[in-house]
């Protein structure tokens, strides 16, 4: 899995939804910059996209090799690789989404079956193609007695609302880490705000928060999904134009509050009876963000670690689960989440 934060590749070797081994490969700066550049229209995109996909695939393969080495197993002991690829555009309203990767190359290099392109079939069936993780969240974190919310805070945030009767809904709530990451990178050259310490040193700017909350996407009903297509540097620059004299740490505090507020509002609107919120994704490491989220919600907020799954492994496990669904010829999407016309088999196979 490599998500919208553009931090790198999270890999897991899993069996029956359990992590046996995990590996993380950070993107080299040049690849991260190119993947960011490919998020918006630019010169000679087809050629550059293909080269970036090949380079990314080499790192996916290195991640797989690392997992095999750590586990002391060989390629023929692995059923399949679920390879999400890197989203560079997500435009379900126009009938497409784009996760770049070269699955043929990954199959060639690893000699393992590769399942890729998980989102298109759902979009072809009229769905958003995202989020795809709620079905997995239900299978691992669902409860027969409690309404639970799983909040994945990656680059973008998404929630899964898991009801005791098995009903599942969910959608992308808006930004996760990407605005905070972008701001600290622009101001201080850091990849992310460790534990939210810089944000915690600032003060939330109420007027800026109101301005950010005016984004129309936030009020849209589900199904909905979003990405860097909307929440990007241009979006932030536009909203900051009247706040040129604000202290950078105060902007960081406000961006963190914005992520917390949008998540909390979505949970209050669509899961008012939630009895527990479990956070996964890198945002779970942002102590300040977690504190703000807890302050805004009446029910306890913790990370998925308390349910036995490290927050950093959840999304990668979900794509292993989706690959397993494909191998068993079972649907991976949920109509109640993506709005597709029906359950669909997700993915395409590139055999070893
Ligand atoms: N110690 C930390 N303190 C604060 N933030 C952190 C910390 N560690 C990671 N993060 C944040 O988590 C991000 C990575 O999260 P993650 O890998 O879950 O996102 P992602 O790649 O966008 O995944 P996805 O799109 O699948 O949800 C980093 O970019 C950073 O913002
Ligand atoms: Mg990541």
């Amino acid at each position: 899995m490599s998500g919208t934060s553009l931090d790198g590749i999270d890999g897991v070797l899993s069996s029956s939804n359990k992590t046996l081994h995990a590996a993380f490969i950070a993107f080299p700066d040049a690849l991260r910059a190119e993947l960011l550049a490919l998020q918006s229209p630019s010169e000679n995109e087809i050629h550059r996209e293909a080269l970036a996909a090949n380079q990314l695939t080499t790192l996916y393969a290195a991640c797989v090799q690392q997992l095999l080495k750590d586990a002391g197993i060989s390629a023929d002991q692995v059923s399949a690789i679920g390879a999400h690829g890197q989203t560079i555009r997500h435009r379900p309203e126009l009938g497409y989404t784009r996760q770049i990767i070269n699955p043929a190359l990954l199959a060639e290099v690893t000699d393992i079956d590769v399942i890729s392109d998980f989102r298109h079939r759902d979009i072809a069936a009229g769905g958003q193609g995202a989020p795809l993780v709620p079905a997995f969240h239900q299978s691992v974190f669902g409860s027969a007695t409690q309404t639970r919310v799983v909040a994945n805070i990656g680059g973008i945030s998404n929630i899964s609302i898991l009801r005791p009767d098995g009903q599942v809904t969910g959608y992308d709530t808006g930004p996760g880490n990407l605005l905070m990451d972008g701001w600290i990178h622009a101001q201080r050259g850091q990849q992310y705000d460790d534990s939210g310490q810089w944000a915690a040193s600032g003060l939330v700017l109420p007027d800026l928060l109101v301005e950010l909350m005016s984004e129309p996407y936030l009020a849209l009903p589900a199904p909905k999904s979003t990405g860097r297509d909307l929440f990007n540097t241009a979006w932030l620059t536009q909203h900051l134009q009247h706040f040129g004299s604000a202290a950078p740490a105060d902007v960081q505090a406000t961006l963190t509050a914005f992520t917390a507020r949008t998540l909390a509002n979505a949970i209050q609107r669509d899961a008012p009876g939630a009895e527990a919120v479990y956070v996964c994704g890198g945002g779970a490491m942002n102590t300040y963000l977690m504190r703000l989220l807890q302050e805004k919600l009446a029910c306890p907020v913790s990370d998925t670690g308390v349910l036995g799954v490290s927050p950093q492994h959840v999304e990668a496990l979900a794509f292993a689960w989706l690959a397993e669904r494909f191998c068993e010829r079972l649907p991976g999407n949920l109509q109640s989440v993506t709005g597709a016309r029906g359950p669909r088999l997700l993915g395409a196979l590139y055999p070893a």
Side-chain angles (χ1 to χ4, degrees), residues 11-342:
V12 292
L13 178 72
S14 78
S15 176
S16 306
N17 292 339
K18 297 269 184 301
T19 303
L20 304 178
H21 288 274
F24 174 74
I25 298 200
F27 288 146
D29 289 343
L31 179 61
R32 180 182 297 118
E34 181 67 339
L35 292 172
L36 188 59
L38 286 167
Q39 308 278 332
S40 42
S42 54
E43 186 73 16
N44 203 12
E45 286 170 317
I46 295 174
H47 174 71
R48 286 171 41 218
E49 180 201 302
L51 294 186
N54 282 349
Q55 199 190 337
L56 180 74
T57 302
T58 303
L59 295 179
Y60 266 68
C63 188
V64 171
Q65 304 301 0
Q66 180 70 48
L67 290 168
L68 295 181
K69 185 165 161 263
D70 292 348
I73 64 170
S74 57
D76 60 6
Q77 290 173 270
V78 179
S79 334
I81 299 169
H84 176 265
Q86 186 64 49
T87 298
I88 56 166
R89 301 294 158 85
H90 183 64
R91 302 297 299 274
E93 75 284 9
L94 298 177
Y96 82 95
T97 185
R98 199 157 192 93
Q99 285 75 47
I100 65 169
I101 182 141
N102 183 340
L105 178 61
L106 187 59
E108 181 67 26
V109 174
T110 61
D111 204 19
I112 298 173
D113 282 1
V114 173
I115 321 295
S116 197
D117 190 14
F118 289 97
R119 301 193 190 275
H120 262 125
R121 185 58 191 268
D122 184 85
I123 292 178
Q128 289 286 311
L132 296 178
V133 290
F136 170 75
H137 290 163
Q138 165 68 11
S139 75
V140 177
F141 303 123
S143 156
T145 54
Q146 272 192 327
T147 295
R148 295 177 169 179
V149 172
V150 177
N152 170 46
I153 310 180
I156 293 292
S157 293
N158 56 271
I159 54 169
S160 301
I161 302 167
L162 315 174
R163 297 195 172 76
D165 62 1
Q167 211 199 319
V168 181
T169 52
Y171 55 89
D172 288 348
T173 55
N177 298 296
L178 52 70
L179 298 174
M180 302 184 276
D181 285 356
W183 185 248
I184 198 168
H185 190 253
Q187 298 296 318
R188 307 182 113 195
Q190 288 162 236
Q191 249 13 287
Y192 60 85
D193 184 5
D194 194 2
S195 308
Q197 285 178 52
W198 189 42
S201 76
L203 290 173
V204 175
L205 303 166
D207 292 349
L208 177 57
L209 188 55
V210 168
E211 162 78 24
L212 299 173
M213 290 300 298
S214 71
E215 164 55 48
Y217 176 83
L218 304 173
L220 291 178
K224 59 176 178 175
S225 56
T226 189
R228 286 185 185 267
D229 309 76
L230 173 60
F231 294 104
N232 51 33
T233 313
W235 183 93
L236 184 58
T237 305
Q238 188 210 323
H239 286 289
L240 284 177
Q241 61 182 330
H242 302 303
F243 297 88
S245 57
D250 292 351
V251 173
Q252 186 74 356
T254 310
L255 295 175
T256 311
F258 181 51
T259 288
R261 173 72 67 85
T262 50
L263 266 165
N265 282 3
I267 293 168
Q268 281 155 352
R269 184 184 76 175
D270 293 312
E275 287 156 274
V277 173
Y278 300 99
V279 177
C280 62
M285 315 288 281
N286 188 322
T287 321
Y288 178 60
L289 174 65
M290 291 290 280
R291 197 175 82 215
L292 292 182
L293 191 56
Q294 179 64 85
E295 280 170 13
K296 292 175 200 317
L297 290 167
C299 67
V301 176
S302 49
D303 71 53
T304 56
V306 303
L307 296 177
V309 186
S310 163
Q312 273 125 308
H313 301 162
V314 175
E315 300 304 284
L317 276 170
F319 281 87
W321 179 85
L322 283 163
E324 191 182 333
R325 299 287 290 182
F326 177 92
C327 294
E328 291 170 359
R329 297 296 185 268
L330 292 169
N333 63 338
L334 289 175
Q335 281 175 272
S336 58
V337 172
T338 65
R341 282 185 288 278

Side-chain angles (χ1 to χ4, degrees), residues 1-10 24:
M1 176 69 208
S2 54
T4 40
S5 290
L6 295 173
D7 55 331
I9 299 161
D10 285 298
F24 174 74

